Amino acid sequence: MGLLSNVFKRNTGDATPQKPAVVKTDAAEQLKPKPMNKEVKIVAKKIEVGYVHMSGCTGCLVSFADNYDKLFTILDRYVELCSCLALIDARHMDTMDIAIVEGSVCIQDKLSVDEIKETREKAGIVVALGGCACYGNITRFCRGGQQNQPQLESFVPIGDLIKVDLYIPGCAPTPQQIRNVCVMAYLLLRGDDKQKELATAYLTPLMKLAQGGTEACGCDLMTNVINQGLCMGCGSCSASCPVRAITMEYGKPNIERDLCIKCGACYAQCPRSFFNEAIISQYEAIDDAVKGALQ
Amino acid sequence: MGTELGNYKSVVSARCTDKEILKGAQDGGIVTQLFAFALESGIIDGAIVAGNGAEPWRPEPVVATTRAELLAARGTKYNLSPNMSLIKEVTRSYGMDKVGIVGTPCQMQALRKGQVYPIGLRDVGDKIALAVGIFCMENFPYQSIIQLVEDHAAMKMESVKKMEIGKGKFWVYGKRGQVVQLPLKVTHKYEQPGCHVCLDYVANLGDISTGSVGSPDGWSTVFVRSRNGDSVWAKAIAAGCFETQPMEKVKPGLELVTKLANEKITKNKKTLEGRATFGVGKGLRNPYL
Ligand SMILES: Cc1cc2nc3c(=O)[nH]c(=O)nc-3n(C[C@H](O)[C@H](O)[C@H](O)COP(=O)(O)OP(=O)(O)OC[C@H]3O[C@@H](n4cnc5c(N)ncnc54)[C@H](O)[C@@H]3O)c2cc1C
Ligand code: SF4
Ligand code: SF4
Ligand code: SF4
């Protein structure tokens, strides 16, 4: 229990992190339009997160929202959402602790290319959320020729244009994985030494995925697991696939490659891609901790 | 080493009190009895078990929702049953909120990874109500079992009543009463290669884990591990599901379990080390780094 004991006391016990203070203003002042930045400052203890929407379907954002009431707890205590076109009327990016990016980048669309570069400049940490941002996913199949921008034919995962710090693969990524990363990112940036240590250990495999490249496919199970003598036939990959492209034949995955949309979920979920025993074996404590933080 | 048996709250030797379950069980009938009890008392809505597949002794993961289906899946099939392949579906079309699952140590690892890093398993983690791990030294592809039973033991697959690995032998029991034993040496080359990097013998990540080693024939060694496992086990004991004996009182006891666990982990750690320098200036991938 080394890492976990005490780590979360501050969040789970009575001493929850300060809630944003209620700002007292007189009626006249309340009528004045308030600049965005002022509000952000009130809750300086939270981490500032920008949600950047590239060529995505908003399903990743919906997954974030599918944390339901816990989304509000996240936004109340840990995350100040400083930009997110779908939810917030902030037209331009400010500097931020973390940028969560959904979607891939169309290199024939100058605005998109500029925006992903700007994201890198403005954000301390860049997270690729979902199969498209990490690996291209369905946009890998784009090849132009559609009205009214038939020339928009080339889409690349964001990691092909900027350095990405962390991946959350999946199409869609799961609400629970996004939730876990939010809590851990908060601990990484605002926690004490022990909390930072835990958060680092938790986030490391997701950072390694980001260092591992921008290509994913069901074939990864062949090249990186079966061909490497590592598959033990558990079936996790098959359960993870959103399009049921993987069946288990005599205990080994068989990938219907024309069904695969290249989301990267199967390989990332496979216990023989990464298995950081020190963290995973504390599944009970981690679950307690994350849920405690969101109580 | 000291960590070879994983974390646990208690360990006992046990067997189920239900004579019907015990009759077709591999060992003490712990797995089947636990699920049957959990099903009756509403702890689970159903359990993913290794059911009977299209060919004799070839398991197929199934979702058992009745006692009869649980009983039909009793017994060890020494080849791959990808039980995790149903872990999401069971919460979807089967509509279950409280899921039971049995599996080898690696399947328990897959399950817990899915809870700590839910990448393709949305809304699954919180629905795991009872994970029962079974000890495992190694597993085999189905074709290996055919090879062992039909070539080495000279029996027909469909005429086999039970298979067992124990006391240093691979045992094949025929329906007509015949018994063939093969030295384990014969079986080694048929093992699933992925087992050779496995560092868990007694299903360290199960809520409860059980196996035959350490306890007398017809009995099982049972580790109660998680908070959840502890609570289910206490209820099952209170309901009179199991006879138990203190582990210290039975032979060969925990000493043998520890020894075998150590042997497995030491051997496989060596394999992992060898992989690092498998080629010339190049190695094979290590999932634990
Ligand atoms: C491949 C393999 C290797 C094993 N190696 C050892 C060992 O080295 N030492 C040891 O002490 N015990 C080992 N066991 C465990 C042992 O054989 C029994 O499964 C265990 O003691 C449970 O017995 P029981 O009477 O409680 O279960 P039962 O009530 O008979 O139920 C057995 C349960 O296991 C499930 N099952 C059967 N085959 C598989 C499979 N291939 N994959 C997943 N689930 C399955 C069945 O669906 C059933 O639910 C091994 C089991 C397997 C499958
Ligand atoms: S998840 Fe990995 S180890 Fe399990 S069956 Fe799939 S490829 Fe094999
Ligand atoms: S096989 Fe399925 S899970 Fe794997 S990358 Fe393709 S679509 Fe994604
Ligand atoms: S030896 Fe390990 S990898 Fe092989 S089946 Fe058993 S638990 Fe799984």
Side-chain angles (χ1 to χ4, degrees), chain B residues 140-179:
Chain B
F140 300 87
Y142 183 65
Q143 292 77 3
S144 290
I145 290 300
I146 295 184
Q147 197 76 15
L148 287 168
V149 169
E150 303 209 332
D151 282 11
H152 290 275
M155 266 202 234
K156 280 217 166 302
M157 287 292 278
E158 50 270 31
S159 69
V160 174
K161 194 173 75 185
K162 182 176 182 172
M163 293 182 215
E164 192 174 19
I165 296 178
K167 305 182 183 77
K169 299 262 184 332
F170 183 84
W171 304 78
V172 190
Y173 299 90
K175 285 180 181 154
R176 286 185 288 110
Q178 70 277 46
V179 185

Side-chain angles (χ1 to χ4, degrees), chain A:
Chain A
M1 292 290 153
L3 264 179
L4 272 154
S5 46
N6 292 325
V7 163
F8 274 87
K9 284 262 167 66
R10 285 169 28 163
N11 290 329
T12 54
D14 28 36
T16 41
Q18 291 135 301
K19 295 229 170 132
V22 181
V23 210
K24 295 218 175 98
T25 43
D26 56 45
E29 245 190 69
Q30 278 197 357
L31 289 173
K32 283 193 229 157
K34 271 178 275 175
M36 282 300 294
N37 287 351
K38 279 273 161 55
E39 251 185 49
V40 173
K41 287 286 149 17
I42 300 165
V43 289
K45 280 222 70 180
K46 295 202 253 179
I47 53 175
E48 290 176 349
V49 174
Y51 195 96
V52 182
H53 197 288
M54 304 302 294
S55 294
C57 72
T58 323
C60 295
L61 183 61
V62 171
S63 259
F64 192 5
D66 281 350
N67 278 295
Y68 304 111
D69 57 317
K70 300 301 177 227
L71 171 71
F72 296 120
T73 313
I74 290 172
L75 295 179
D76 273 349
R77 293 193 203 148
Y78 306 110
V79 165
E80 181 63 30
L81 203 55
C82 57
S83 74
C84 177
L85 274 183
L87 301 173
I88 293 176
D89 187 21
R91 304 296 169 100
H92 298 287
M93 272 183 232
D94 231 328
T95 55
M96 52 197 153
D97 294 314
I98 300 181
I100 298 180
V101 186
E102 163 184 343
S104 62
V105 188
C106 175
I107 60 173
Q108 286 93 19
D109 177 19
K110 184 172 182 302
L111 272 181
S112 296
V113 175
D114 289 348
E115 199 176 343
I116 196 65
K117 288 183 183 167
E118 190 186 357
T119 302
R120 183 65 273 184
E121 281 161 23
K122 298 269 170 74
I125 296 173
V126 174
V127 175
L129 177 63
C132 296
C134 298
Y135 298 118
N137 202 31
I138 198 72
T139 66
R140 284 286 187 200
F141 299 88
C142 294
R143 51 184 171 74
Q146 285 182 325
Q147 295 292 21
N148 60 355
Q149 301 288 325
Q151 78 286 10
L152 300 189
E153 66 177 24
S154 316
F155 293 76
V156 293
I158 65 168
D160 282 356
L161 299 183
I162 62 168
K163 181 179 168 290
V164 180
D165 302 293
L166 191 143
Y167 276 6
I168 305 179
C171 179
T174 66
Q176 293 81 18
Q177 185 61 77
I178 302 172
R179 170 199 77 185
N180 290 1
V181 168
C182 283
V183 172
M184 291 296 174
Y186 175 83
L187 292 182
L188 184 74
L189 298 177
R190 298 284 187 271
D192 58 29
D193 286 351
K194 282 207 135 174
Q195 292 172 324
K196 281 193 171 116
E197 197 188 334
L198 168 73
T200 307
Y202 179 87
L203 295 171
T204 294
L206 303 176
M207 296 181 188
K208 283 194 181 152
L209 283 179
Q211 290 155 17
T214 57
E215 281 176 44
C217 179
C219 303
D220 298 344
L221 301 175
M222 298 187 239
T223 50
N224 292 337
V225 189
I226 304 172
N227 294 171
Q228 285 283 313
L230 295 171
C231 176
M232 44 57 181
C234 62
S236 239
C237 50
S238 165
S240 306
C241 179
V243 296
R244 299 178 197 264
I246 307 170
T247 52
M248 300 300 292
E249 308 294 341
Y250 287 98
K252 299 284 149 154
N254 182 58
I255 301 111
E256 196 69 58
R257 298 196 306 287
D258 275 355
L259 277 183
C260 169
I261 55 167
K262 296 180 181 284
C263 72
C266 52
Y267 178 68
Q269 191 70 79
C270 166
R272 291 287 169 88
S273 59
F274 69 85
F275 192 81
N276 49 338
E277 205 258 342
I279 288 292
I280 295 174
S281 66
Q282 297 184 48
Y283 63 94
E284 257 188 322
I286 300 252
D287 194 50
D288 285 354
V290 172
K291 290 207 181 119
L294 296 176
Q295 265 308 304

Side-chain angles (χ1 to χ4, degrees), chain B residues 26-27 29-32 50 73 75-77 79 135 139 201 211-213:
Chain B
Q26 183 75 14
D27 298 305
I30 308 298
V31 181
T32 304
T76 301
K77 293 101 184 168
N79 63 103
F135 303 176
N139 206 345
Y201 178 52
S212 58
V213 74

